[in-house]
Amino acid sequence: MRFQLLFHAFIRHLYFSRITVTGSEHVPEEGPVLALCLHRNGAVDGYVYRAAIARLIYLVRAKLRKGVVGKLFFSGMDVTRRGDGGRTEDILAMITDCADALRAGSSLGIFPEGTSKLGPRHLPFKSGAARIAQACQEMGGSLTILPLGIHYECPWAFRSRVEVVVGPPVSLPPPVAGGSKGSHLREVRRLFTDALEEVGINVPDEETQDLLQKVAYAATLGTEVSYFSALKAMEKGIPPALVSAWRDFDTAAEGKRLFRHQGVPLFPSRWPGFYALAAVLLGIPVVAGALLNLPPLLLAWFAGKRFADDTNVISLWRILVGIPSFLLWLLAGLVLSGALGCVWMFPPYLGLTAFTIFGWYRFKKLAVAGWNGSICPEMTVRSHDLHQLVLRELGANPLRK
């Protein structure tokens, strides 16, 4: 378990540029925790949520943990769902085992949706988490129940940023004397749903979701605004003036060969040449490091392209193929440098590789802003005006902390 925690920490720090945890004050230092986790980006969510609660033990589909690779990348308690041939008695036994684990002091992470999706709203919540909490309550166990949400700037992008939101603890209602167990379970499920919707984002359709995510990302540029708070502030509706201004900007930008970052065409706040020069100076070592690691990078890209059947598993396939390929590539480089008698070259290679990884996100932003400011300077002022409009509208919609 200790090795897996370290390995999963390595994965999330390698793949993501920054992981921000909001609401960490709700996580108790000790004692059992039942974490209700919104499911967005496949099994990758599990790696990221451990940035908020490292000690989580997940309920994992048993079929995912078959073989050495499965056990390495997916850790937790095996669960055989009905769709995978699970019987009613197996599911009941699993609920009891989970309640026993919580009473013994373990912390469990469960995904009530059962599967992930990057759509505009959460999927229907299943009753497993509520049944586990109810069973634990019946056994006299005390635990902290926490809703967790997860929000990716770009879920499938290498070195993207992500924010984990930990909501306030959920208090279980006491069973009503003479009341049915079913009515109590429905009340628990309702409380869980309300808590998860507070840490998640639900909008009517994908078009609204796409614009909301762009606006929220734009709000974070050059400010201390958190991505989640910007999303939440406009969850009930993006102001019509902002929708109109954004569409007008997109119309004016058509055919102008603008580059975008996370869907937003960035522009420099100062002299465009400064951004272009900074992108070149940063880009030389970044691109050099990428070329030195081209085989594992290409394998990861191909895996995401070839094996992912939806956007919510692109990152997972890139990690499943890219991480082992990268580690083998490192090992091969060490062996080759030793065989050629030039081991001294390996540390500089590692340093350049690390520089590429940690500089990639900044390089992309500088390159996009530098290009746009140089190729289309007439759009710069309009872009800045749109950014100010975003911030003004957010000021009119108080940010939720």
Side-chain angles (χ1 to χ4, degrees):
M1 180 66 177
R2 177 66 177 172
F3 173 77
Q4 284 182 320
L5 288 178
L6 292 173
F7 183 57
H8 293 172
F10 168 74
I11 290 174
R12 66 175 175 265
H13 284 100
L14 177 66
Y15 197 81
F16 295 102
S17 171
R18 185 177 71 192
I19 299 175
T20 304
V21 178
T22 302
S24 56
E25 68 274 10
H26 299 307
V27 181
E29 293 184 3
E30 56 185 20
V33 171
L34 178 61
L36 314 173
C37 307
L38 286 175
H39 210 1
R40 302 288 294 165
N41 203 22
V44 175
D45 291 342
Y47 306 139
V48 179
Y49 277 130
R50 279 199 172 127
I53 309 177
R55 62 183 185 271
L56 283 182
I57 300 171
Y58 295 110
L59 273 62
V60 182
R61 294 177 70 181
K63 63 186 296 184
L64 289 177
R65 286 176 32 85
K66 292 181 178 179
V68 176
V69 174
K71 287 182 171 58
L72 178 63
F73 280 94
F74 310 111
S75 65
M77 298 175 61
D78 291 349
V79 175
T80 303
R81 303 189 300 193
R82 293 187 188 277
D84 297 327
R87 301 170 300 173
T88 300
E89 52 265 37
D90 296 329
I91 296 172
L92 293 176
M94 179 271 295
I95 292 172
T96 302
D97 290 344
C98 289
D100 288 339
L102 288 167
R103 292 182 64 209
S106 297
S107 294
L108 302 184
I110 186 169
F111 299 93
E113 293 162 275
T115 188
S116 68
K117 203 72 175 174
L118 289 168
R121 62 177 297 106
H122 65 74
L123 299 173
F125 297 125
K126 303 184 185 300
S127 63
R131 291 181 185 277
I132 292 170
Q134 188 181 54
C136 191
Q137 185 183 43
E138 291 173 352
M139 294 178 182
S142 62
L143 74 157
T144 302
I145 302 173
L146 295 175
L148 271 64
I150 194 165
H151 304 277
Y152 299 86
E153 284 186 359
C154 187
W156 50 84
F158 177 61
R159 301 301 293 169
S160 180
R161 292 179 175 178
V162 56
E163 185 171 355
V164 176
V165 182
V166 184
V170 180
S171 298
L172 290 179
V176 179
S180 70
K181 188 174 180 178
S183 62
H184 180 258
L185 179 66
R186 286 191 292 273
E187 177 63 14
V188 173
R189 290 184 67 181
R190 184 190 67 77
L191 290 173
F192 284 7
T193 298
D194 292 345
L196 285 167
E197 290 189 342
E198 278 299 307
V199 297
I201 302 297
N202 293 287
V203 294
D205 50 55
E206 292 182 357
E207 182 180 1
T208 304
Q209 178 191 22
D210 180 62
L211 179 56
L212 177 61
Q213 289 173 340
K214 292 176 182 176
V215 169
Y217 171 63
T220 68
L221 298 173
T223 71
E224 296 298 320
V225 175
S226 82
Y227 184 59
F228 169 72
S229 66
L231 289 169
K232 201 67 177 176
M234 297 190 179
E235 178 185 26
K236 301 301 182 184
I238 306 172
L242 183 51
V243 174
S244 177
W246 199 283
R247 288 176 177 168
D248 289 345
F249 183 90
D250 283 343
T251 299
E254 287 181 3
K256 294 187 181 295
R257 297 181 296 166
L258 295 180
F259 286 169
R260 296 173 185 261
H261 186 258
Q262 321 289 49
V264 177
L266 307 182
F267 282 83
S269 58
R270 303 182 194 87
W271 180 51
F274 172 79
Y275 281 71
L277 178 61
V280 171
L281 294 177
L282 182 61
I284 290 173
V286 165
V287 172
L291 290 174
L292 286 175
N293 293 280
L294 193 58
L297 288 174
L298 287 177
L299 285 171
W301 173 84
F302 176 78
K305 195 80 172 175
R306 176 67 177 82
F307 301 120
D309 56 6
D310 204 345
T311 53
N312 63 313
V313 288
I314 291 176
S315 284
L316 177 60
W317 276 110
R318 287 177 174 175
I319 287 171
L320 290 177
V321 173
I323 296 292
S325 301
F326 176 60
L327 293 176
L328 288 173
W329 185 253
L330 289 179
L331 180 60
L334 179 60
V335 171
L336 181 61
S337 62
L340 296 176
C342 46
V343 178
W344 60 269
M345 296 182 63
F346 192 69
Y349 156 72
L350 283 181
L352 188 58
T353 297
F355 189 90
T356 296
I357 292 170
F358 294 108
W360 181 250
Y361 184 86
R362 177 61 57 187
F363 165 65
K364 286 200 301 181
K365 291 181 70 173
L366 285 171
V368 169
W371 170 269
N372 290 342
S374 301
I375 202 73
C376 197
E378 71 275 11
M379 295 291 291
T380 300
V381 173
R382 190 165 185 167
S383 169
H384 293 166
D385 289 343
L386 181 60
H387 184 239
Q388 290 303 310
L389 178 61
V390 169
L391 298 180
R392 286 198 301 272
E393 292 293 348
L394 280 176
N397 294 270
L399 303 182
R400 302 188 182 188
K401 300 296 183 183

